[in-house]
Amino acid sequence: MSLVNIPTKEEVSASNQDIFDQLEKALGFVPNLYATMAHSTNGLKRYLDFQNAKTSFSNREKEIINIVVSQVNNCKYCQSAHTVIGKLNGFNDEEILAFRKLTSDNKKYDSLVKLTASITETKGYVAEALVSEFYANGYTKENLVDLILQVSDKTAMNFLHNLTQIEIDFPLAPEL
């Protein structure tokens, strides 16, 4: 049971109503977790600006990070949403399940998965070997900074859903 309601367009500020219109146009609907953020007059725009900011990662790499963080933080909503988005970015079911199991057959992606999981689990106190492996697989210091920012982006949404338990409006990700 949800601890807060999912506001309708009529229940949010005028600026959030505009964002709802933009989301509807771009996605075909307003995801419940975004709508929940609209309880804050400024929160939804602030989050979307952060989420959509430029990064050194490809969309595929961002999805790996989002999937891993959501798995570590046990956020069913984001696991479900990023399973769908991961497929839109060209990953198949087996690859997505592997990321959720914190591994990858691709050596570069595996270093990203392992470091992402460790950062999330340890709140940034990771083993030096994981960072060295990340660099050895072609990632840079810029990528490391962007990884921290992407982990924080997804952690915010994970925490919002884990706290509110709003209804998941994506096909449910399979249980591991």
Side-chain angles (χ1 to χ4, degrees), residues 107-173:
K107 188 175 178 180
K108 184 172 185 176
Y109 287 167
D110 193 59
S111 68
L112 178 61
V113 166
K114 298 285 192 281
L115 184 56
T116 299
S118 184
I119 288 169
T120 307
E121 291 167 343
T122 68
K123 298 173 180 54
Y125 294 99
V126 302
E128 187 177 316
L130 289 173
V131 178
S132 295
E133 185 70 17
F134 181 74
Y135 291 149
N137 281 292
Y139 289 109
T140 65
K141 292 174 186 170
E142 179 182 20
N143 294 132
L144 184 65
V145 170
D146 287 346
L147 176 55
I148 298 298
L149 293 171
Q150 191 66 36
V151 168
S152 66
D153 162 347
K154 194 46 44 198
T155 297
M157 292 302 268
N158 294 166
F159 286 8
L160 182 62
H161 183 261
N162 289 349
L163 174 72
T164 63
Q165 292 297 303
I166 55 104
E167 180 183 348
I168 299 171
D169 51 352
F170 290 90
L172 289 179

Side-chain angles (χ1 to χ4, degrees), residues 33-152:
L33 201 52
Y34 286 164
T36 301
M37 292 188 93
H39 280 294
S40 167
T41 300
N42 300 304
L44 180 57
K45 181 182 182 329
R46 181 177 169 196
Y47 177 75
L48 289 173
D49 287 347
F50 182 56
Q51 181 184 51
N52 294 319
K54 289 186 179 184
T55 178
S56 59
F57 288 113
S58 69
N59 286 339
R60 287 172 59 90
E61 290 166 319
K62 280 177 58 176
E63 282 315 305
I64 292 169
I65 297 163
N66 291 337
I67 291 166
V68 170
V69 172
S70 298
Q71 185 64 40
V72 170
N73 286 330
N74 196 32
C75 178
K76 303 290 186 210
Y77 187 100
C78 293
Q79 290 169 9
S80 300
H82 290 288
T83 293
V84 171
I85 299 167
K87 289 178 186 177
L88 292 174
N89 279 281
F91 291 118
N92 63 40
D93 289 329
E94 293 76 29
E95 290 169 309
I96 292 168
L97 286 173
F99 300 146
R100 290 184 57 212
K101 292 176 182 175
L102 309 182
T103 190
S104 175
D105 290 339
N106 177 302
K107 188 175 178 180
K108 184 172 185 176
Y109 287 167
D110 193 59
S111 68
L112 178 61
V113 166
K114 298 285 192 281
L115 184 56
T116 299
S118 184
I119 288 169
T120 307
E121 291 167 343
T122 68
K123 298 173 180 54
Y125 294 99
V126 302
E128 187 177 316
L130 289 173
V131 178
S132 295
E133 185 70 17
F134 181 74
Y135 291 149
N137 281 292
Y139 289 109
T140 65
K141 292 174 186 170
E142 179 182 20
N143 294 132
L144 184 65
V145 170
D146 287 346
L147 176 55
I148 298 298
L149 293 171
Q150 191 66 36
V151 168
S152 66

